[in-house]
Structures are given as structure tokens and as C-alpha cells.
């Protein structure tokens, strides 16, 4: 069974072009969403995916209608493949029921993995270079070294309450205890 999925990003757009193409391709059922591609929760896609059974084919007009990113697209299609469901994109002419379609899909998958590795390498190299230049990462310390000494001094004096010390230094009780333990 061919099951179609169409998505438009805004209410101003229309499903007509996608629906006509999916119907012409032989889709017996159509599921739709009117949401941005970056949105994770897509009820129409969820319904289409839950309706698919082994041997069925999910058909989309274009690849960008299905995936939020290349990585998400690859993961979705791999999930379909594990379930024995085929995939077809009309515009890119990818059809995983054919050996050529499987090849194109695996090339896309390899490119996506290569892209992720490059991004990871560049990120690590950038962080290392920044650390080498003295850049600090993470949340800044709540208290300076001088304020820590002041906190310890105030805490030693039993006449000061925790609330008074916190108010004086402008810190929370959690910060107070974190610096004293």
C-alpha cells in the first residue's frame, strides 16, 4: 500500500500540488501537517508512520517535507527500513524498493555522517583553540575569591545567621552551603 505524507509550513500555503502528485503516484491514503519542518511534534506524520506496515511504502513529494534535517531524514528512513517499510520521494526520484534508490539513500546517509563528523571536529578544534587563548567555558562562579573569604569569615562568627550572610553577599542558601562544604 502506498501512503502519502504532505506538509506545508504556513496556513498561507496549500497542499494542492503535493496532494495531486501523491494521488497521481497511486497513494491510497494521505496524511498532512501544517507546521514548520523544524517542529518535532507532527500529528499527521505520526499517524502516517503508525499506519504503515511491512511492505507498505511511505511517499512524499520532496525530501524536505519529511525530515527536519538530513540527519533526521536518515534516521526516519532507517526506522522505516527496520520495520520493512519502503520509502519514495517523487521529486528526487528516490525509491528504496529499487537497488538504485537504496544506493542513493545510503550515499545520502554516508554524506550526513561525514557532515556530522566534520562539525564535531571543527567544534572540538574551536573549543581547544579558545581554551588555549584562556577562554573559560561554563557558568561563571557565584562568588569571587575575596567574597569566599568574606563568607568564611562571616560564617565563623556565630552571631551571624545564614539568612543575614546570604542577604549581605546577595546569594542563595544553596550557594552559601555549596561554598562552605
Amino acid at each position: 500500500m502506498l501512503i502519502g505524507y504532505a506538509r506545508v509550513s504556513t496556513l498561507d500555503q496549500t497542499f494542492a500540488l503535493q496532494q495531486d502528485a501523491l494521488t497521481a503516484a497511486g497513494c491510497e491514503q494521505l496524511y498532512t501537517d501544517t507546521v514548520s519542518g523544524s517542529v518535532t511534534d507532527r500529528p499527521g506524520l505520526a499517524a502516517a508512520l503508525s499506519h504503515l506496515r511491512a511492505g507498505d511504502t511511505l511517499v512524499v513529494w520532496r525530501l524536505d517535507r519529511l525530515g527536519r534535517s538530513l540527519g533526521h531524514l536518515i534516521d526516519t528512513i532507517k526506522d522505516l527500513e527496520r520495520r520493512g517499510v519502503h520509502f519514495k520521494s517523487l521529486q528526487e526520484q528516490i525509491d528504496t524498493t529499487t537497488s538504485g534508490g537504496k544506493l542513493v539513500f545510503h550515499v545520502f546517509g554516508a554524506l550526513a555522517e561525514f557532515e556530522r563528523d566534520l562539525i564535531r571536529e571543527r567544534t572540538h578544534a574551536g573549543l581547544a583553540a579558545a581554551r588555549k587563548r584562556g577562554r573559560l567555558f561554563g557558568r561563571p562562579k557565584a562568588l569571587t575569591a575575596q567574597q569566599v573569604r568574606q563568607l568564611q569569615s562571616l560564617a565563623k562568627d556565630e552571631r551571624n545567621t545564614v539568612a543575614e550572610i546570604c542577604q549581605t553577599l546577595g546569594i542563595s542558601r544553596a550557594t552559601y552551603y555549596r561554598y562552605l562544604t
Side-chain angles (χ1 to χ4, degrees), residues 85-99:
V85 175
H86 304 289
F87 174 74
K88 186 174 187 177
S89 174
L90 301 177
Q91 290 296 304
E92 290 83 5
Q93 297 181 357
I94 296 173
D95 185 351
T96 62
T97 61
T98 68
S99 56

Side-chain angles (χ1 to χ4, degrees), residues 143 148 151-152 155 162 171 173-181:
L143 299 175
V148 171
L151 170 66
Q152 291 168 341
V162 173
I171 59 173
R173 291 179 82 84
T175 301
Y176 171 88
Y177 288 110
R178 186 170 43 250
Y179 277 93
L180 286 183
T181 56

Side-chain angles (χ1 to χ4, degrees), residues 47-138:
L49 293 174
S50 69
H51 189 83
L52 290 163
R53 302 291 176 250
D56 288 346
T57 301
L58 177 64
V59 183
V60 295
W61 180 63
R62 281 185 42 182
L63 287 173
D64 66 348
R65 302 293 88 195
L66 178 63
R68 296 189 314 266
S69 65
L70 184 56
H72 177 255
L73 180 66
I74 299 293
D75 292 342
T76 302
I77 297 174
K78 280 184 180 178
D79 181 55
L80 293 174
E81 188 176 41
R82 276 191 294 276
R83 294 172 45 198
V85 175
H86 304 289
F87 174 74
K88 186 174 187 177
S89 174
L90 301 177
Q91 290 296 304
E92 290 83 5
Q93 297 181 357
I94 296 173
D95 185 351
T96 62
T97 61
T98 68
S99 56
K102 286 180 185 175
L103 172 66
V104 169
F105 171 71
H106 287 294
V107 168
F108 278 175
L111 289 172
E113 187 174 338
F114 177 67
E115 178 186 21
R116 282 192 300 269
D117 289 344
L118 285 178
I119 290 169
R120 187 179 312 114
E121 288 174 11
R122 284 193 302 260
T123 300
H124 288 305
L127 290 172
R131 280 190 196 98
K132 199 172 186 178
R133 289 190 309 271
R135 173 81 161 85
L136 299 176
F137 294 98

Side-chain angles (χ1 to χ4, degrees), residues 153-165 168 176:
S153 173
L154 290 170
K156 284 180 186 174
D157 188 349
E158 295 177 8
R159 294 176 294 185
N160 296 323
T161 66
V162 173
E164 290 171 342
I165 295 171
T168 300
Y176 171 88

